[in-house]
Amino acid sequence: MTFFNRELSWLEFNNRVLCKGLNKDLPLLERLQFLSIVTSNFDEFFQVRVASVKRRNFAGITEEDVSGLTPKNLLQKISERAHEIIRTQNDCLMLDVLPKLAKKGIEYVNPLEYTERQKDFLSSVFRNEVYPLLTPLRTDTEYFPPVLNLIQYAAFFLTPMAGIHVENNALEGKADAPKIALVQIPSAVSQVIWLPSENGNKTFALLSDVIVNFGRQLFPGFEVSETLVFKVARDADFAVNEEVRNNSDEKETEDFIHEMEKVLLQRKSSFAVQMTCNSTSEKLMEFLMDKLGLKEKDVYKVNGIIDPGSLDLRSADDQGELQFEKWEHFYPHDLPSDEPFWDTLKLKDKILHVPYESYEPVIKMLNDAADDPEVLGIKMTLYRTGHDSPIISALIRAAQNGKQVVVLVELKARFDEERNIGFASVLENAGVTVIYGLENLKVHAKIMMIMRREKDFVRRYVHLATGNYNPKTAKLYSDISLFTANSEIANDATAFFNLVTGYSTLQNMNYLAMAPVTLKSRLLTMIDREIERSTKQEPGFIMAKMNSLTHEDVIAALYKASQAGVKILLNIRGICMLVPGVEGMSENIRVVSIVDRYLEHSRIFYFQNGGSEEIWCSSADWMSRNLDRRIELMFPILEKASFTEVKGILETYFKDTESAMELQSDGTWTKVEGKKEGISAQTVLYKKYKKLNEEHNQKMEIEFKVRRK
C-alpha cells in the first residue's frame, strides 16, 4: 500500500480524540469535553467528507482512489468504523463518565427516575418556559416538513384517544397515514435544566427529555405511543458560484455575497447524509429513514444522550476539581506591555507561541497602530476571527482615525461565511477597504502589515502566523507567529498584498513562499536538497509538524528522501495518507500524533540542509487544497534566538511519551512508549513559559527594590 485513504485516516484521528475521553486518568469534565469533540468532529465530517463521497457514488463513479477504494466501498468502510467509534463513545458517556460524575455530586436524571417533586418542577418549567417555544409539525401532508441541519428534533407517534372522534377534514391529513409529529428542540436555550436538590447532589435533566416526557400536552385528543429524539447531518459541501465575479462593475460584490447566502440556505435543506437518534422507537426510526432517503448504515443509534456537547456542566464544578488545572497565558517577557513594540522590533524579531503565551501582543499591536498618529496604514487578511473581536474594533478605530485600512476577508471560510459577511459589512461601513477574497481561491494566509512614518521613510512592521486572527481560539489552539521589522520580509509582504488586492503580475518573493504559486515547489526543492546533501556518515534530516498530510507529490518526495537515507520525523495531528515504516519505501519515516488539552495547530518545518539549518512556519498543511487551491504563506525563521526557540518547540513534540501515538504501516496507531513517568510535550512547554515568566517577575522585583533605595 502506497497511500492510506484520506477519510479512513480522518476516522482514526477522531478515534484518537475518543481515546482521550476513554482515559480514566483525566478529570471527568475533561473526558466529557473530549467526547463532545468527537461528536462535533463527526458533524463536520458527515456534512463535508461523507457527503462528497456519497455524491460521487450517486453519480455512478466506480474508479478507485489512490488507496484502492471505490466510493461505494469507501462508504461501507466509513460506516463500519464510524459505528464502532460512536458505540464506544456512547458507552463511555452513559456507562462510565456520567455514573462517575454522579458519584462526584453532578447527576444526570433519566426520565424514568424522576421523583414526584422533580416531575412537578419540570412540568412547571415545560408549561411556562418550554411549551411556548415549541411548534409541532405534522408529517401526513403533501410535503414532508423541513428537518434542519444538525438541529435536534423529537418525533411523536400519535394514536387517537379512545372515545374521541374527529371529523375527517383537510386538517386531519391522509386518513391512512400514520399520525407522526416532529417538534424542533429549541437550540437558543440551555439544553441542561438544573433540578431542585434532593440528596445533596447537583442534579439535572435534559431539555430533550423534558419535551419528550411532557410533549403529549402538544397533542390534545391523542395519546403518545412512541417517541424518538434525532439529529440529521445534511450535505454542506457546497461551493459558491464564482462566475458572478466576472463582472467588472460595483454589482460584482453584491452578487457574490448573494451567491454565498444561497449556499448557506442550501445547507439547511440539502440531502440527508446521516442521522443520529436514540434507540426508543424502531417504527419512528424506519419512518424517518424512508422520508429522508437514508439507509440503515446511515443511522447511528445511541443509548440516551445523542449529543454530549449539550452537557455544559463546568459551572457545577465549584472547586474545579473535575477539570484540568488552570493554565495561564503568559504575557511575553521580552515585549513591552506599557509602550508600543516599534523600538523593540527594530532590534529583534519576536516569536509568539500561543496559547502558552498570551495573544494580547497581537491585539496590542493593532490597537497601538490604530491610535498612533505616525501609523499611515494597516493591511491584513482575515479568515476566522470570532464573535465580538477586538481586532475588528481596532480596525474600525484605525479607519476612523484616518488610517488607510485594507482587509482581505475570506467569505468562503466554511461554516463561518455568515459571520464573515456580517463583520465585513461593519468594516466597510466604518471606511475600511474590504476585499472579498479571490476568485476560485480561498485566502488562508495569516498576515498583517503596519506602515509607520519614521524620520525620512516609512517602516513596515509585519506579523505572520500559522493560525487565525482569533483571540478566542488563540486560548485553545497551539500556534506560532512572528513579529518582525525585517525589510526583506516587508518587501515580500508588500508584493503579496499588491498581488491579492490588485492587478499585479506575480513578483519574485525572496523570503516568503506563496501557494499556489511557489510554496509547493519550494517544499519539494528543499526535500530534494536534503537528498543531495545526505551522506551515510551524515544523513539528511527533516522534522515537520502539521495538521494533515495528503498531497501525493509531497508524499512521493518524502518516500524518495527516505530511500536516500534521509531521516524524517513527522508530527501530524489529523489525516496522514503517508504509509511509514515500509522497507524499501519509507523505513526512515516516523509519524506521531499528539491529541491533548490544546488543539495542535502550528505548522513548523525543519530542514538540516547539510548543516545550514532552516526552519519555516506556514499557514498551510501539506494537502492538495492548501498547496494547489488556496492562497497560503510560508515564512522563514531567520534570527538566531528565534530559530533556537522554534527548533526547541518542534523537538519537544517528538519527545512526548504521554499523549503521543505512533502510526504503524498497517494504519493502526499505538501509544508511544517511554519512561515510567512519561513526558507531555504540552506540559513541558507550559512549564517552560511559566518559568520564564517567574524569572522575569523576580528580576523586575529586584530592580524595583534597587530603584527605591
Side-chain angles (χ1 to χ4, degrees):
M1 180 186 295
T2 306
F3 297 98
F4 290 129
N5 177 269
R6 171 179 170 151
E7 278 65 48
L8 299 183
S9 179
W10 182 92
L11 283 170
E12 296 312 314
F13 156 64
N14 212 25
N15 188 62
R16 296 196 296 282
V17 177
L18 173 59
C19 286
K20 300 297 287 188
L22 298 174
N23 187 344
K24 298 181 188 299
D25 294 330
L26 296 186
L28 284 169
L29 289 180
E30 303 300 344
R31 295 180 63 192
L32 177 60
Q33 176 67 13
F34 281 112
L35 296 179
S36 301
I37 294 170
V38 170
T39 296
S40 61
N41 284 348
F42 265 130
D43 285 343
E44 183 170 344
F45 177 67
F46 283 112
Q47 288 179 92
V48 179
R49 300 307 309 173
V50 178
S52 176
V53 179
K54 277 199 165 192
R55 277 193 275 104
R56 294 202 299 272
N57 190 49
F58 292 157
I61 295 173
T62 58
E63 287 85 356
E64 295 180 349
D65 61 20
V66 293
S67 69
L69 293 173
T70 65
K72 181 178 180 180
N73 293 338
L74 178 55
L75 286 173
Q76 183 61 37
K77 286 184 175 293
I78 289 172
S79 176
E80 291 170 359
R81 187 62 174 130
H83 273 92
E84 289 176 1
I85 293 171
I86 290 174
R87 275 196 301 270
T88 304
Q89 175 205 26
N90 187 243
D91 287 346
C92 179
L93 174 67
M94 303 305 296
L95 304 179
D96 187 9
V97 172
L98 287 181
K100 286 180 177 176
L101 279 172
K103 291 180 181 178
K104 294 291 186 179
I106 303 175
E107 182 178 4
Y108 164 63
V109 184
N110 186 290
L112 298 176
E113 299 170 350
Y114 292 159
T115 65
E116 289 304 315
R117 184 185 177 199
Q118 290 169 342
K119 287 179 182 177
D120 291 343
F121 173 80
L122 290 173
S123 178
S124 175
V125 169
F126 178 82
R127 185 171 58 255
N128 296 315
E129 300 178 31
V130 179
Y131 182 89
L133 303 176
L134 304 181
T135 303
L137 302 172
R138 62 193 306 159
T139 62
D140 58 356
T141 55
E142 183 177 357
Y143 299 104
F144 191 70
V147 175
L148 301 180
N149 186 36
L150 298 184
I151 298 294
Q152 289 192 48
Y153 287 81
F156 297 85
F157 199 105
L158 308 174
T159 55
M161 288 182 176
I164 294 181
H165 175 70
V166 180
E167 291 294 329
N168 187 30
N169 55 48
L171 291 177
E172 197 178 353
K174 300 174 183 176
D176 57 344
K179 298 295 184 283
I180 293 173
L182 306 182
V183 176
Q184 181 179 330
I185 296 171
S187 56
V189 298
S190 174
Q191 303 299 297
V192 171
I193 300 174
W194 293 101
L195 300 167
S197 178
E198 295 187 350
N199 56 5
N201 279 3
K202 295 176 181 178
T203 55
F204 67 92
L206 284 184
L207 178 61
S208 56
D209 289 343
V210 171
I211 291 173
V212 165
N213 208 51
F214 297 95
R216 66 178 68 87
Q217 297 177 35
L218 294 163
F219 311 106
F222 288 90
E223 295 279 3
V224 175
S225 59
E226 297 185 35
T227 61
L228 187 79
V229 177
F230 69 97
K231 177 181 76 172
V232 172
R234 293 186 175 277
D235 175 23
D237 189 30
F238 295 108
V240 67
N241 177 12
E242 301 218 40
E243 291 181 3
V244 300
R245 297 172 69 96
N246 291 333
N247 301 324
S248 58
D249 57 19
E250 197 174 277
K251 191 171 179 291
E252 172 186 330
T253 297
E254 291 181 16
D255 288 345
F256 180 63
I257 292 174
H258 178 65
E259 289 297 313
M260 185 62 68
E261 289 170 340
K262 283 166 60 177
V263 166
L264 298 177
L265 287 173
Q266 279 181 290
R267 283 187 189 154
K268 295 180 180 179
S269 58
S270 54
F271 76 83
V273 177
Q274 176 256 10
M275 181 172 75
T276 306
C277 62
N278 58 19
S279 53
T280 54
S281 172
E282 290 288 327
K283 190 182 297 183
L284 285 170
M285 186 186 75
E286 291 173 1
F287 172 81
L288 290 167
M289 287 169 55
D290 177 64
K291 293 296 183 181
L292 296 169
L294 295 171
K295 298 179 180 178
E296 189 172 352
K297 66 181 179 182
D298 302 319
V299 177
Y300 294 75
K301 293 188 290 184
V302 299
N303 176 27
I305 299 170
I306 71 171
D307 186 0
S310 64
L311 301 178
D312 184 8
L313 307 178
R314 290 186 184 270
S315 61
D317 182 25
D318 298 327
Q319 306 302 317
E321 296 176 352
L322 304 178
Q323 305 174 54
F324 285 137
E325 173 192 355
K326 188 174 181 180
W327 281 2
E328 296 179 64
H329 310 290
F330 302 107
Y331 191 90
H333 67 281
D334 50 356
L335 281 177
S337 59
D338 55 353
E339 62 184 41
F341 303 154
W342 319 130
D343 291 340
T344 300
L345 295 180
K346 290 174 197 173
L347 299 175
K348 63 177 182 178
D349 291 350
K350 167 60 188 169
I351 295 296
L352 185 71
H353 190 193
V354 297
Y356 309 100
E357 293 183 295
S358 167
Y359 196 69
E360 184 59 30
V362 179
I363 300 170
K364 175 176 165 45
M365 190 174 185
L366 258 177
N367 281 326
D368 289 341
D371 299 327
D372 189 334
E374 300 304 321
V375 168
L376 305 176
I378 302 170
K379 297 182 181 183
M380 73 183 304
T381 58
L382 289 178
Y383 190 73
R384 303 184 197 274
T385 194
H387 294 287
D388 304 320
S389 174
I391 289 173
I392 302 300
S393 301
L395 292 169
I396 290 172
R397 196 169 71 258
Q400 292 170 342
N401 286 341
K403 320 293 184 191
Q404 182 191 55
V405 183
V406 179
V407 179
L408 197 154
V409 177
E410 182 48 79
L411 295 188
K412 301 189 291 291
R414 197 189 306 273
F415 303 121
D416 273 344
E417 298 97 337
E418 188 170 6
R419 183 184 307 160
N420 288 5
I421 289 172
F423 76 67
S425 176
V426 170
L427 288 171
E428 276 193 317
N429 291 337
V432 174
T433 299
V434 177
I435 310 297
Y436 289 92
L438 297 179
E439 184 177 343
N440 299 319
L441 293 170
K442 281 187 181 180
V443 179
H444 194 248
K446 328 304 184 182
I447 184 171
M448 171 174 65
M449 184 168 67
I450 295 168
M451 289 72 74
R452 186 173 187 268
R453 183 192 298 111
E454 297 182 2
K455 295 184 179 179
D456 297 329
F457 68 101
V458 174
R459 189 185 298 272
R460 293 159 296 178
Y461 297 88
V462 180
H463 177 261
L464 291 148
T466 66
N468 296 309
Y469 287 105
N470 188 323
K472 292 184 179 178
T473 57
K475 295 178 180 179
L476 304 170
Y477 293 11
S478 170
D479 273 303
I480 297 287
S481 63
L482 170 71
F483 296 86
T484 184
N486 181 297
S487 60
E488 296 293 340
I489 288 180
N491 287 339
D492 284 0
T494 301
F496 169 81
F497 280 112
N498 289 343
L499 179 64
V500 298
T501 63
Y503 288 104
S504 172
T505 57
L506 183 64
Q507 303 175 32
N508 287 331
M509 294 184 185
N510 296 319
Y511 288 84
L512 302 184
M514 187 184 83
V517 185
T518 60
L519 205 163
K520 183 177 74 172
S521 60
R522 180 76 63 89
L523 280 174
L524 294 175
T525 297
M526 289 190 291
I527 295 172
D528 284 340
R529 184 186 63 189
E530 209 63 31
I531 295 172
E532 293 170 3
R533 299 186 178 184
S534 179
T535 66
K536 287 186 178 181
Q537 293 74 28
E538 295 185 19
F541 185 38
I542 297 171
M543 284 189 292
K545 178 181 181 296
M546 66 200 78
N547 299 331
S548 296
L549 171 58
T550 67
H551 201 294
E552 295 171 31
D553 293 346
V554 176
I555 293 173
L558 292 172
Y559 287 157
K560 181 181 175 184
S562 172
Q563 293 159 21
V566 177
K567 304 298 180 184
I568 302 169
L569 294 180
L570 302 175
N571 187 297
I572 300 175
R573 187 194 78 211
I575 303 165
C576 180
M577 289 175 57
L578 178 146
V579 182
V582 177
E583 187 175 354
M585 182 176 79
S586 58
E587 66 265 38
N588 290 313
I589 304 177
R590 179 174 179 240
V591 179
V592 297
S593 176
I594 292 175
V595 176
D596 209 340
R597 73 152 71 187
Y598 293 144
L599 181 78
E600 290 299 340
H601 193 253
S602 56
R603 293 90 166 187
I604 310 171
F605 317 134
Y606 167 87
F607 297 89
Q608 185 172 266
N609 188 25
S612 300
E613 302 170 296
E614 292 184 2
I615 288 182
W616 299 74
C617 295
S618 181
S619 59
D621 291 310
W622 292 353
M623 303 179 73
S624 298
R625 70 180 188 189
N626 298 92
L627 302 184
D628 298 330
R629 300 191 298 277
R630 286 184 174 182
I631 300 292
E632 304 271 12
L633 284 173
M634 183 172 69
F635 54 95
I637 307 300
L638 299 175
E639 286 193 353
K640 184 176 180 180
S642 298
F643 185 97
T644 300
E645 181 179 355
V646 177
K647 184 180 179 184
I649 291 168
L650 184 57
E651 289 174 334
T652 300
Y653 284 108
F654 293 102
K655 297 175 183 176
D656 193 300
T657 58
E658 190 170 291
S659 297
M661 300 188 77
E662 184 167 357
L663 179 60
Q664 307 301 310
S665 58
D666 63 357
T668 60
W669 290 83
T670 59
K671 190 177 184 310
V672 172
E673 298 297 331
K675 295 180 180 179
K676 187 175 181 181
E677 65 273 16
I679 297 172
S680 163
Q682 293 192 0
T683 301
V684 168
L685 291 168
Y686 174 75
K687 288 181 177 179
K688 165 193 166 183
Y689 290 101
K690 182 180 181 182
K691 182 179 179 182
L692 287 172
N693 182 70
E694 291 170 348
E695 290 174 349
H696 175 69
N697 290 341
Q698 289 172 1
K699 179 181 177 183
M700 295 298 293
E701 184 178 348
I702 292 170
E703 290 180 355
F704 181 71
K705 288 179 179 178
V706 169
R707 287 171 184 160
R708 288 192 60 182
K709 289 183 178 179

